[in-house]
């Protein structure tokens, strides 16, 4: 599932490609991927253009010229491609937005969605999300104060969108590795130096992954060499049996409450 770095990368790239460009056509091939009847969706999108793209956690918010918002969550298996008809992947397209001869294809939205909402409806839908790791208000002091009020497993807390917004299976493991903490550690057992190190690791890891395009394996457009670059430098995620780049012990895979987790038993404690 795309996480914060992948969605931030999409936001940056799509802001350059489609913002303020007229939407010339919309095709809905799967009504379940939207929240209102197709006819109502198309009617409300008439003459609208995307004026700004925002990210919140694992969502993208396409702000429209008609004051509405398209809220996108790709969920498991969802991705996007932007290009000409002859360039599109040979996959089932659930939704297609056309911008002249180029199109934005929404692919794999079996669980994901693109909902047309008012600003208030969007705020209501996202109100339970935790702090944004890139927000200036997400400080070390706030992080430590929050941890001291929580209990539970480190891995499960990192992927809890009420605790911190945007982190999922991949980056929770990469963050734990960076901080040299076992994903099975309990929050209540962490010492203050470990909490500070964890905070720095969250910031550093998500910044690095975002800057190089995240781990999504599908390019956004033909010739896109940025998207997915982090996949080549993952330290532990999906690296079971490989040598740890820090201590050379073999990386292990376990399940924590049905969530797969990868770690190094040699240098995570």
């Amino acid at each position: 599932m795309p996480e914060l770095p992948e969605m931030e990368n999409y936001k940056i790239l799509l802001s350059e490609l489609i913002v303020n460009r007229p939407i010339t056509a919309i095709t809905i091939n799967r009504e379940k991927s939207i929240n209102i009847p197709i006819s109502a969706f198309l009617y409300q999108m008439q003459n609208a253009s995307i004026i700004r793209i925002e990210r919140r956690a694992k969502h993208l918010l396409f702000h429209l010229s008609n004051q509405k918002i398209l809220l996108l969550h790709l969920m498991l298996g969802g991705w996007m491609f932007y290009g000409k008809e002859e360039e599109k992947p040979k996959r089932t397209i659930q939704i297609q937005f056309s911008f002249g001869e180029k199109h934005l294809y929404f692919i794999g939205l079996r669980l994901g969605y693109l909902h047309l909402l008012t600003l208030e409806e969007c705020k209501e839908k996202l109100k339970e999300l935790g702090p944004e790791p890139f927000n200036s208000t997400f400080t070390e002091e706030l992080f430590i104060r929050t941890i001291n009020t929580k209990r539970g497993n480190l891995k499960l807390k990192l992927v809890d969108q009420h605790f911190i917004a945007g982190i999922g299976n991949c980056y929770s493991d990469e963050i734990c590795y960076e901080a040299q903490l076992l994903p099975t550690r309990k929050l209540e057992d962490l010492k203050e130096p470990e909490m500070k190190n964890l905070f720095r690791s969250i910031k550093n890891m998500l910044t690095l992954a975002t800057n190089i395009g995240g781990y999504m394996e599908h390019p956004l457009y033909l010739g896109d060499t940025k998207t997915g670059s982090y996949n080549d430098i993952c330290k532990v995620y999906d690296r079971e049996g490989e040598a740890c780049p820090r201590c050379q012990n073999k990386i292990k895979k376990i399940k924590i409450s049905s969530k797969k987790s990868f770690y190094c038993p040699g240098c995570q404690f």
Side-chain angles (χ1 to χ4, degrees), residues 10-56:
Y10 274 144
K11 183 197 85 171
I12 293 167
L13 296 180
L14 287 173
S15 293
E16 299 171 354
L17 295 169
I18 64 173
V19 164
N20 292 323
R21 291 194 58 192
I23 300 171
T24 55
I26 298 174
T27 304
I28 309 293
N29 297 318
R30 185 176 186 271
E31 190 165 8
K32 287 183 178 179
S33 296
I34 58 176
N35 59 319
I36 57 178
I38 292 176
S39 58
F41 188 96
L42 296 177
Y43 178 76
Q44 293 186 49
M45 288 296 298
Q46 279 184 333
N47 302 317
S49 60
I50 296 165
I51 60 172
R52 179 166 64 91
I53 303 174
E54 179 187 2
R55 182 195 55 76
R56 180 70 170 105

Side-chain angles (χ1 to χ4, degrees), residues 79-116:
W79 52 291
M80 289 180 282
F81 182 82
Y82 178 78
K84 297 180 179 179
E85 179 76 20
E86 62 268 24
E87 297 170 344
K88 73 177 181 181
K90 293 180 179 178
R91 302 292 183 90
T92 302
I93 309 296
Q94 281 76 42
I95 300 173
Q96 174 182 322
F97 276 38
S98 299
F99 301 85
E101 65 175 5
K102 291 194 174 182
H103 317 276
L104 179 60
Y105 300 101
F106 297 88
I107 305 165
L109 293 184
R110 294 179 301 277
L111 300 174
Y113 56 81
L114 184 69
H115 286 181
L116 183 59

Side-chain angles (χ1 to χ4, degrees), residues 165-227:
I167 300 172
N169 266 346
C170 174
Y171 296 109
S172 58
D173 287 347
E174 296 290 289
I175 288 165
C176 287
Y177 177 81
E178 175 79 9
Q180 294 188 258
L181 296 171
L182 287 169
T184 52
R185 286 285 299 275
K186 300 292 185 184
L187 288 186
E188 57 266 32
D189 294 335
L190 294 178
K191 307 290 191 297
E192 187 165 310
E194 292 177 316
M195 295 180 195
K196 291 182 176 181
N197 192 30
L198 179 60
F199 174 80
R200 288 191 295 271
S201 297
I202 290 170
K203 291 275 193 178
N204 293 342
M205 187 54 57
L206 294 178
T207 300
L208 170 65
T210 298
N211 287 343
I212 64 175
Y215 74 88
M216 287 286 289
E217 61 183 19
H218 305 291
L220 177 61
Y221 53 85
L222 205 63
D224 173 17
T225 58
K226 181 184 179 185
T227 302

Side-chain angles (χ1 to χ4, degrees), residues 54-95:
E54 179 187 2
R55 182 195 55 76
R56 180 70 170 105
K58 301 176 186 179
H59 303 78
L60 282 190
L61 288 72
F62 297 91
H63 292 262
L64 302 172
S65 56
N66 62 7
Q67 310 302 312
K68 295 282 184 85
I69 292 174
L70 287 168
L71 181 66
L72 173 70
H73 197 321
L74 291 173
M75 301 292 282
L76 187 64
W79 52 291
M80 289 180 282
F81 182 82
Y82 178 78
K84 297 180 179 179
E85 179 76 20
E86 62 268 24
E87 297 170 344
K88 73 177 181 181
K90 293 180 179 178
R91 302 292 183 90
T92 302
I93 309 296
Q94 281 76 42
I95 300 173

